[in-house]
């Protein structure tokens, strides 16, 4: 086995914990990214088809059998799991609808809505994850949960997919109360907590929406809010913000709202200044 420094060994351990891969895969990914764990993890989730990564398994029969177990109406819809079946399946995974990792699972399985799964999405999604049965899927759920906070690309993928999942047929935008509830779930621990040391971003966002935003939430507003979330976590001082940027009006107004909250010296809710 190659000799690694203590720092490199720690990076390998962190990578394998986040991605559930072997040490050899972790070392190869880390070496190619100059031992930067964050960059290596991001690249792993963005490049799952590279030759360095394990190949998906083919357990079609087992996955089809598992899918059949949860179908609501096999005669009328043989290739669909409806609301009751979806609820039972998530329950068997030990999850509730209020758990943000549910959005990660449904995103991976390419579910059309929150209350439905298709055979093709279910089988192909779990094949990619090498999880042909419930125990393996429960294990993969733990990996998804870690990735929501550790991998920005993974979070962005799940976040964007959630808008589609939340829509009802025929809708192009979300009702404000619906979108607010999904934001509460996605932007709070154990998912990516939208709070920094001096700024309670999520609380202020929901307060702003309640007081000053009376419209629905479009796809553009949803997705740009996700971009704003990531940037504000990286730099809460908002040095990256520009009034000339192509942000939706809701976020322009929210920035003004945040500045009002911080006061003339740029402090947070407790009066501290943002460095």
């Amino acid at each position: 086995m190659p000799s690694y420094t203590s720092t490199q060994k720690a990076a390998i351990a962190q990578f394998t914990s986040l991605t559930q891969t072997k040490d050899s895969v972790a070392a190869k990914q880390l070496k190619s990214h100059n031992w930067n764990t964050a960059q290596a993890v991001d690249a792993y989730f963005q490049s799952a088809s590279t030759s360095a990564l394990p190949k998906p398994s083919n357990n079609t029969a087992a996955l089809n059998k598992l899918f059949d177990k949860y179908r609501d109406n096999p005669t009328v819809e043989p290739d669909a799991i409806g609301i009751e079946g979806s609820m039972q399946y998530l329950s068997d995974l030990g999850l509730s609808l209020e758990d943000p990792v549910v959005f990660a699972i449904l995103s991976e399985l390419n579910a059309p809505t929150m209350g439905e799964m298709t055979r093709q999405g279910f089988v192909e999604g779990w094949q990619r994850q090498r999880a042909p049965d419930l125990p393996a899927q429960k294990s993969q759920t733990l990996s998804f949960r870690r990735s929501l906070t550790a991998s920005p690309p993974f979070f962005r993928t799940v976040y964007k997919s959630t808008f589609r999942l939340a829509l009802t047929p025929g809708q192009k935008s979300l009702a404000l109360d619906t979108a607010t509830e999904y934001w509460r779930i996605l932007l709070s621990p154990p998912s990516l907590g939208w709070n920094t040391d001096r700024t309670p971003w999520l609380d202020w966002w929901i307060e702003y929406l309640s007081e000053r935003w009376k419209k629905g939430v479009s796809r553009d507003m949803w997705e740009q809010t996700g971009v704003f979330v990531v940037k504000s976590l990286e730099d809460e001082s908002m040095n990256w913000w520009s009034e000339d940027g192509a942000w939706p009006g809701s976020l322009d107004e929210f920035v003004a709202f945040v500045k009002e909250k911080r006061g003339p010296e740029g402090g947070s809710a407790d009066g501290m200044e943002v460095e």
Side-chain angles (χ1 to χ4, degrees), residues 155-193:
F155 173 81
R156 286 195 294 268
T157 297
V158 172
Y159 179 88
K160 291 179 69 173
S161 295
T162 300
F163 184 86
R164 182 195 76 244
L165 292 168
L167 287 175
T168 57
Q171 277 189 327
K172 292 186 178 180
S173 63
L174 295 176
L176 180 58
D177 58 347
T178 300
T180 299
E181 186 57 32
Y182 281 99
W183 273 318
R184 286 186 189 276
I185 296 173
L186 273 173
L187 302 178
S188 300
S191 184
L192 186 70

Side-chain angles (χ1 to χ4, degrees), residues 202-218:
L202 179 59
D203 290 344
W204 283 0
W205 174 240
I206 292 175
E207 183 180 344
Y208 157 75
L209 292 172
S210 176
E211 293 181 0
R212 306 188 187 185
W213 188 258
K214 305 303 179 183
K215 304 175 184 178
V217 176
S218 66

